[in-house]
Amino acid sequence: MDPEPGTDPEAGTDARQTRRRVAPARRIVRVWRHPRLRWARRIALGVVILLVVPVLGAGVALRVNYAGDPGGGTQSRDRDALWLGHAWIDGRKTGADVTALARRLGGTGIRDLYVHAGPLEHDGSLPVSAYPRAEWLIRAVHRELPGVRVQAWLGDVLAGEGPEGLRLEREETRAAVVGSTEQVLGAGFEGVHFDLEPLHSDDQDYLSLLDALHTVTRDRGVALSVAAHQIDPFPAANSVRGALTGHPKWWTQEYFGQVARRVDQIALMSYDTALPLESLYGGYVAQQTSLALEVTPESTDLLMGLPFFHDDDMSHHEDAETAGAAVRGARLGLSRTDRDRERFGVALYIDFAAEESDWAAYREGWVS
């Protein structure tokens, strides 16, 4: 018969040590079963469930949203755009670069170039020295790319989350922005494209600025375009994020529509989502496309932004946020929501960071 555990002389020491090691663990278990700690455990579990379950549910919904095939005819309407860096108007680019750009864009649907001509000063003004070769570029583009418009891309950091920046609540600042717009249009630009960040949802001062800007651009017969934040992907998401981080990310769908009704073009910046998988990102773009289509009037061009850059950080994972996934997501959203809409396109961000794979994804997925 085998000896009882702990009685074997050779095993006795180990058994005693084992009992000594187990004893504290038993005391911990008894403490953990204390009524107060049981309630703490239940509360902690409830918090985990509240946080994890919605995230998992959202992930499943996005993955499902990426399933299926885009409908026929959901391809380029010849209303696409490309963001261009400041090098095009500060003297670094030459005629040979414009010729190369024309070859790159030949046969695509790109009809607008947003050329970085800022940034604005914090008071809304714009020094003429910011765009010294604007007239040269506009003439060169008209020669090499007839039918393509050159818009001045203006922007600045808003002071909503920090002490420094543009303050739209000041009437004199908004008036200065309108003056800067008249200034760049006088230099020959065929429209103005604004990207002001971070712009919180329901900012009424921004709507007032757009009303004033549209009066100017409409009188001149040129385009008013804006880069827009993403739309709240599910109820209260923006409120929760704002409360936790102090940095609201999304606009409400209603506010997106209010902005879209005041402009000629609205380009939704559908990147920097922090999503880790290509399928989730593509499903997210499909969702954003549908949400935007539902509130953008037929008279406004809706453009979905494609990531033509390859940063890899907390907000943008280059293996997930691919141009190919964005194109497919935009087509899926278009298929499901407003397949026959004509005033729809994609906007490519940005020329100097783009790789051949990005251009191939755009041509094969959207232009073909």
Side-chain angles (χ1 to χ4, degrees):
M1 179 181 293
D2 293 332
E4 294 182 8
T7 61
D8 180 65
E10 296 181 2
T13 302
D14 291 340
R16 286 193 296 271
Q17 290 174 345
T18 299
R19 285 197 298 273
R20 284 197 295 271
R21 288 196 296 268
V22 171
R26 289 173 178 165
R27 287 197 296 272
I28 291 171
V29 169
R30 285 197 295 271
V31 171
W32 181 243
R33 287 174 179 169
H34 190 281
R36 291 180 180 177
L37 290 177
R38 283 202 301 270
W39 275 109
R41 182 175 58 181
R42 291 173 183 173
I43 293 172
L45 180 61
V47 170
V48 169
I49 291 173
L50 288 174
L51 292 175
V52 172
V53 171
V55 171
L56 291 176
V60 171
L62 293 179
R63 182 62 187 88
V64 170
N65 218 26
Y66 196 55
D69 296 318
T74 54
Q75 292 169 300
S76 179
R77 277 90 163 116
D78 292 332
R79 293 182 180 273
D80 304 333
L82 170 65
W83 278 280
L84 294 177
H86 204 82
W88 289 93
I89 56 171
D90 67 4
R92 284 177 283 171
K93 295 291 187 179
T94 67
D97 294 306
V98 178
T99 300
L101 179 65
R103 285 198 300 269
R104 170 71 76 183
L105 303 187
T108 71
I110 293 176
R111 294 296 175 266
D112 281 288
L113 301 176
Y114 304 142
V115 185
H116 190 263
L120 296 166
E121 299 293 327
H122 289 341
D123 64 359
S125 64
L126 179 68
V128 175
S129 58
Y131 50 94
R133 301 202 69 199
E135 293 184 23
W136 166 83
L137 176 66
I138 295 166
R139 287 196 304 269
V141 168
H142 287 173
R143 182 178 63 253
E144 300 280 355
L145 289 163
V148 172
R149 293 186 298 191
V150 183
Q151 299 192 40
W153 166 17
L154 302 178
D156 192 19
V157 175
L158 296 178
E161 297 180 11
E164 298 295 326
L166 196 72
R167 296 188 176 276
L168 293 181
E169 69 274 14
R170 296 176 178 171
E171 185 176 354
E172 62 271 23
T173 300
R174 299 197 302 273
V177 174
V178 173
S180 296
T181 298
E182 294 174 327
Q183 183 179 311
V184 295
L185 294 178
F189 284 104
E190 300 158 291
V192 61
H193 174 80
F194 278 95
D195 180 10
L196 303 175
E197 301 180 47
L199 182 59
H200 294 178
S201 187
D202 302 324
D203 188 320
Q204 299 303 304
D205 296 316
Y206 182 59
L207 299 183
S208 297
L209 173 63
L210 293 180
D211 288 335
L213 290 171
H214 211 182
T215 298
V216 171
T217 56
R218 189 185 300 112
D219 289 345
R220 289 177 175 260
V222 297
L224 174 60
S225 172
V226 295
H229 287 40
Q230 297 157 28
I231 300 172
D232 209 336
F234 53 90
N238 199 50
S239 300
V240 171
R241 179 189 168 99
L244 293 176
T245 68
H247 175 61
K249 178 181 178 65
W250 299 286
W251 288 353
T252 65
Q253 189 183 35
E254 179 183 8
Y255 187 68
F256 188 96
Q258 291 172 352
V259 172
R261 288 192 293 274
R262 287 170 165 82
V263 298
D264 302 301
Q265 290 180 331
I266 185 166
L268 194 157
M269 298 180 286
S270 43
Y271 36 76
D272 289 338
T273 65
L275 290 167
L277 300 175
E278 192 174 32
S279 59
L280 299 182
Y281 172 64
Y284 182 82
V285 174
Q287 180 212 45
Q288 289 289 307
T289 301
S290 292
L291 291 172
L293 282 168
E294 289 171 356
V295 293
T296 301
E298 293 288 342
S299 58
T300 301
D301 289 342
L302 171 63
L303 309 180
M304 299 303 295
L306 304 187
F308 269 41
F309 62 99
H310 295 268
D311 296 347
D312 204 348
D313 51 36
M314 291 297 293
S315 65
H316 176 88
H317 302 292
E318 65 169 329
D319 292 337
E321 293 191 19
T322 65
V327 166
R328 188 168 184 273
R331 292 185 64 197
L332 286 168
L334 182 62
S335 300
R336 296 163 182 162
T337 311
D338 193 355
R339 180 181 298 189
D340 297 326
R341 183 186 177 95
E342 282 300 315
R343 302 188 74 114
F344 182 86
V346 296
L348 323 179
Y349 183 87
I350 184 170
D351 73 301
F352 57 76
E355 297 181 357
E356 287 300 326
S357 59
D358 302 320
W359 287 105
Y362 165 65
R363 282 184 173 274
E364 295 167 9
W366 181 245
V367 177
S368 297

